[in-house]
Amino acid sequence: MTYFDFRIPGHRMQVIAADGVPVKPVEVDDIRIAVAESYDVIVELKKDTLIYVEDMGRSGKVYAKLGADPSAKVVLPKPYPYEPLTMVDMGMAMKGMKMHTMRGQKHKNMPHKKPIPITPLPKSEGIAWTMHAKSPQYRLDDPGVGLRSVQRKVLTYADLETPGIKNRYPDREIILHLTGNMERYIWAINGIPYYESKPLEFYYGEHLRVTFINDTMMNHPMHLHGMWSDVEVGNKILRKHTVNVQPGSKISMRMDVDATGKWVYHCHLLYHMGGMFREVKVLS
Ligand SMILES: [Cu+2]
């Protein structure tokens, strides 16, 4: 259960789909794949190709060689350096610091003048909400810790667009804080773990905006069953079933609530899922 940094040294990859949905093609060198995400790529292979994958924590690697000659020597690339988390990953904006992560995201996410009504949700500032991101930012073009100093093109959500999806004005918005307590290893949403929570209520036919604020210093791949998550990338839309929420960041998405019944919404990291989990009831 970790994130993997995927590359094919000496090759560029053309990304053509994210989570199984076609995107406008984009060329990259590296892809960080969050748990449960998937990317389709087209690669023109050269002779004796190496597929090389490192885990995000830089504790291991796995590789495979593609080629006709089994005796061909494998030359492994230098592993990427270990980078510590920064203030940005704690959700703090630092004055004077180069916020490359802000580029192109200056509230383009909110092009509408009329404010979107926010439905208040229960919160509990307690044992399951000990960390707070004081100034969470949209960081769609942030390659993430461990890849920021890499001088190669790393895929980010800011590079991706799903064509043909109408950017509708949302009927309402809900804000979900991803929260936790690292000492006790408790994970929750809005400070309330699943086992103490009530279901989230969506209404059939509505167009919902969901904003995640990650108050923790870990990535959370958030996965909703039954409906697509249409991530706001500036004024563009990226359709996904699993949305990575970077440490100390925020991200907004749209949902066409087009499936009745009961669904689940959860972090896809097994160790977080027990608490960072909600039942969703779609009411008709
Ligand atoms: Cu998580």
Side-chain angles (χ1 to χ4, degrees):
M1 296 306 283
T2 188
Y3 285 35
F4 289 98
D5 293 334
F6 182 96
R7 52 181 154 148
I8 306 178
H11 294 71
R12 296 212 100 191
M13 298 180 271
Q14 191 186 32
V15 181
I16 56 158
D19 294 358
V21 183
V23 292
K24 282 193 178 164
V26 55
E27 276 209 356
V28 299
D29 297 310
D30 291 67
I31 304 176
R32 171 165 287 173
I33 307 175
V35 171
E37 281 188 320
S38 72
Y39 292 101
D40 290 30
V41 297
I42 294 178
V43 185
E44 197 174 310
L45 295 181
K46 296 172 191 160
K47 209 179 149 211
D48 294 322
T49 304
L50 186 72
I51 293 171
Y52 187 82
V53 188
E54 285 177 73
D55 75 293
M56 177 199 238
R58 303 288 178 254
S59 62
K61 60 178 180 298
V62 63
Y63 56 89
K65 193 187 73 177
L66 292 175
D69 177 8
S71 64
K73 223 180 131 203
V74 173
V75 183
L76 296 183
K78 238 176 98 182
Y80 284 151
Y82 172 78
E83 286 174 10
L85 292 168
T86 65
M87 298 296 268
V88 170
D89 300 294
M90 293 169 71
M92 311 234 213
M94 291 180 76
K95 266 200 185 141
M97 191 175 151
K98 193 177 159 254
M99 290 287 288
H100 73 99
T101 54
M102 296 283 289
R103 215 172 24 196
Q105 287 304 319
K106 276 186 196 149
H107 295 284
K108 269 200 229 151
N109 295 59
M110 290 289 302
H112 311 286
K113 289 186 182 78
K114 188 176 75 170
I116 302 164
I118 296 172
T119 306
L121 296 175
K123 285 181 189 172
S124 175
E125 296 263 358
I127 198 163
W129 197 350
T130 53
M131 296 166 274
H132 291 265
K134 296 214 164 53
S135 181
Q137 308 288 336
Y138 288 107
R139 303 212 318 258
L140 292 139
D141 66 348
D142 181 2
V145 71
L147 292 175
R148 289 175 184 146
S149 63
V150 169
Q151 298 300 311
R152 289 154 59 85
K153 174 60 197 158
V154 180
L155 179 73
T156 68
Y157 286 178
D159 301 316
L160 294 170
E161 177 183 4
T162 310
I165 294 177
K166 222 174 113 198
N167 196 344
R168 278 171 59 195
Y169 189 80
D171 299 311
R172 66 184 181 108
E173 178 174 8
I174 57 170
I175 297 170
L176 301 170
H177 287 259
L178 302 176
T179 63
N181 178 331
M182 286 295 273
E183 274 111 58
R184 303 285 294 269
Y185 215 74
I186 297 169
W187 301 98
I189 294 173
N190 285 349
I192 304 167
Y194 169 60
Y195 41 87
E196 290 169 3
S197 71
K198 291 207 174 85
L200 293 171
E201 290 182 338
F202 293 3
Y203 299 95
Y204 184 74
E206 72 173 339
H207 190 56
L208 186 65
R209 186 180 202 234
V210 176
T211 294
F212 280 121
I213 296 175
N214 188 350
D215 280 311
T216 78
M217 289 182 70
M218 293 196 78
N219 285 274
H220 300 287
M222 298 304 296
H223 177 64
L224 172 65
H225 292 214
M227 287 153 271
W228 289 107
S229 298
D230 290 341
V231 180
E232 296 175 2
V233 183
N235 295 322
K236 302 177 294 178
I237 291 289
L238 167 62
R239 174 158 284 189
K240 299 200 87 262
H241 60 54
T242 301
V243 175
N244 185 45
V245 191
Q246 298 213 39
S249 78
K250 63 176 172 175
I251 195 163
S252 297
M253 64 213 84
R254 311 290 182 80
M255 271 153 209
D256 275 321
V257 180
D258 56 4
T260 51
K262 286 183 181 180
W263 305 100
V264 293
Y265 206 172
H266 62 93
C267 176
H268 222 295
L269 289 171
L270 191 61
Y271 314 122
H272 298 176
M273 212 185 276
M276 201 175 274
F277 189 107
R278 280 291 183 278
E279 182 185 326
V280 170
K281 253 193 209 163
V282 177
L283 307 167
S284 51

